[in-house]
Amino acid sequence: MIVVSIAPLGFLIVFLFGAIVGSFLNVCILRIPKGDSVIHPPSHCPNCKSPIAFYDNIPLFSYLFLRGRCRACHERISPRYFIVELLMASLTVALFYRFGLGPAFVTSFIFVAALIVVSFIDLDAMIIPDVISLPGIVLGLLFSIMGRYVLEDRFEIIPSPLSSLIGLLVGGGFLLAVGWIYEIFTKVEGMGGGDVKLFAMIGAFLGWQSLLGTLLFASLGGSVIGLTVMFVKGVGRRYPIPFGPFLCLGALLFLFFGNELTTFYLYSP
Ligand SMILES: [Zn+2]
């Protein structure tokens, strides 16, 4: 009898699916800040504007095959394209490994895709677009209602509708208050409105229980990077560092390890 394991094949298919979605996320990262359509026109080289043939637009593979250069004008293509595709593909595999195929996978897959787009746009343009965060808030709340009444999520990653609602209100409200207080004392706008809506979206997707852990991690990560930048570039000058990517990273950690983290800080002495 021959036993053929389909597990490796399953992981490969999931990886490729994640890479294809990652390729679309690249288009979103490039076009959303400019207000362009993410569907039309088809992909073209940002330098020479020549259209990219389908065989040069294969996720991950084409970048390696063309050695990171445009086929027509040989201008360097940003490694960001490759990084985003690899990141989305790897995280898709990790989600599949953690949750299998089911409601928890579907909701967290959409959530992770949104976090990646938000992070790279914030790094690039220092904005968090409403076209991601506002529908994200609605979607997070919608998934929690479906999780309660329609789907069965045995991983308990999808919060209850009440937890989702409290999460989005407290998440958004807390950062809004922090921003106001900071502005009163320093007369400088410290917390962008984009961060407020992003944190509300995270609360809607993961429930209020995720907020403390996410914020602690984001603040810690932001402080370490902020101090490093200050140290390298010189103290006293202002270097705005986007906070969005740190919030996204905190949310991502909570998504994978949240249950363990919550248990740890609720029950450890
Ligand atoms: Zn070109």
Side-chain angles (χ1 to χ4, degrees):
M1 197 175 83
I2 302 167
V3 178
V4 180
S5 170
I6 60 158
L9 186 65
F11 278 109
L12 182 69
I13 292 169
V14 167
F15 182 84
L16 292 176
F17 175 70
I20 291 166
V21 172
S23 181
F24 175 68
L25 299 186
N26 271 318
V27 178
C28 296
I29 292 164
L30 189 70
R31 296 189 186 177
I32 286 176
K34 299 180 194 162
D36 292 347
S37 161
V38 294
I39 297 162
H40 190 82
S43 295
H44 51 267
C45 168
N47 183 48
C48 69
K49 310 287 181 234
S50 57
I52 297 168
F54 75 91
Y55 50 81
D56 283 340
N57 210 0
I58 299 163
L60 296 170
F61 178 80
S62 289
Y63 186 88
L64 295 176
F65 183 74
L66 295 168
R67 292 198 180 83
R69 286 178 189 278
C70 169
R71 187 189 284 275
C73 69
H74 304 289
E75 180 73 16
R76 274 195 68 84
I77 301 165
S78 165
R80 188 181 73 196
Y81 292 92
F82 185 80
I83 292 168
V84 167
E85 285 162 2
L86 188 62
L87 190 62
M88 190 62 205
S90 311
L91 284 172
T92 307
V93 168
L95 288 174
F96 178 61
Y97 180 77
R98 177 82 168 77
F99 301 125
L101 283 182
F105 176 84
V106 175
T107 59
S108 51
F109 179 80
I110 292 169
F111 183 55
V112 165
L115 293 181
I116 290 180
V117 171
V118 162
S119 296
F120 281 89
I121 289 180
D122 202 11
L123 283 172
D124 216 27
M126 295 288 286
I127 53 157
I128 297 173
D130 286 352
V131 289
I132 303 287
S133 58
L134 294 184
I137 291 171
V138 176
L139 215 54
L141 194 57
L142 206 65
F143 279 142
S144 75
I145 294 166
M146 284 168 67
R148 167 57 64 86
Y149 299 107
V150 187
L151 312 162
E152 197 197 342
D153 164 32
R154 61 197 172 88
F155 295 97
E156 297 176 348
I157 274 297
I158 303 174
S160 72
L162 185 65
S163 169
S164 172
L165 187 65
I166 295 173
L168 85 86
L169 293 175
V170 171
F174 179 75
L175 281 199
L176 200 61
V178 169
W180 276 340
I181 293 166
Y182 185 83
E183 218 174 311
I184 288 167
F185 281 101
T186 62
K187 307 272 181 269
V188 182
E189 195 192 351
M191 192 68 63
D195 294 313
V196 171
K197 284 169 255 178
L198 172 62
F199 204 37
M201 178 183 109
I202 291 169
F205 262 95
L206 299 179
W208 66 265
Q209 293 88 339
S210 71
L211 295 175
L212 182 61
T214 300
L215 194 64
L216 281 178
F217 185 82
S219 310
L220 190 70
S223 307
V224 170
I225 299 294
L227 288 173
T228 310
V229 170
M230 237 201 288
F231 185 73
V232 172
K233 302 254 184 177
V235 186
R237 296 173 65 179
R238 283 178 57 85
Y239 289 96
I241 295 165
F243 193 49
F246 294 105
L247 283 174
C248 291
L249 210 54
L252 203 58
L253 282 178
F254 192 89
L255 180 64
F256 281 102
F257 309 109
N259 289 344
E260 289 83 347
L261 274 174
T262 311
T263 313
F264 180 75
Y265 69 60
L266 283 187
Y267 300 108
S268 60

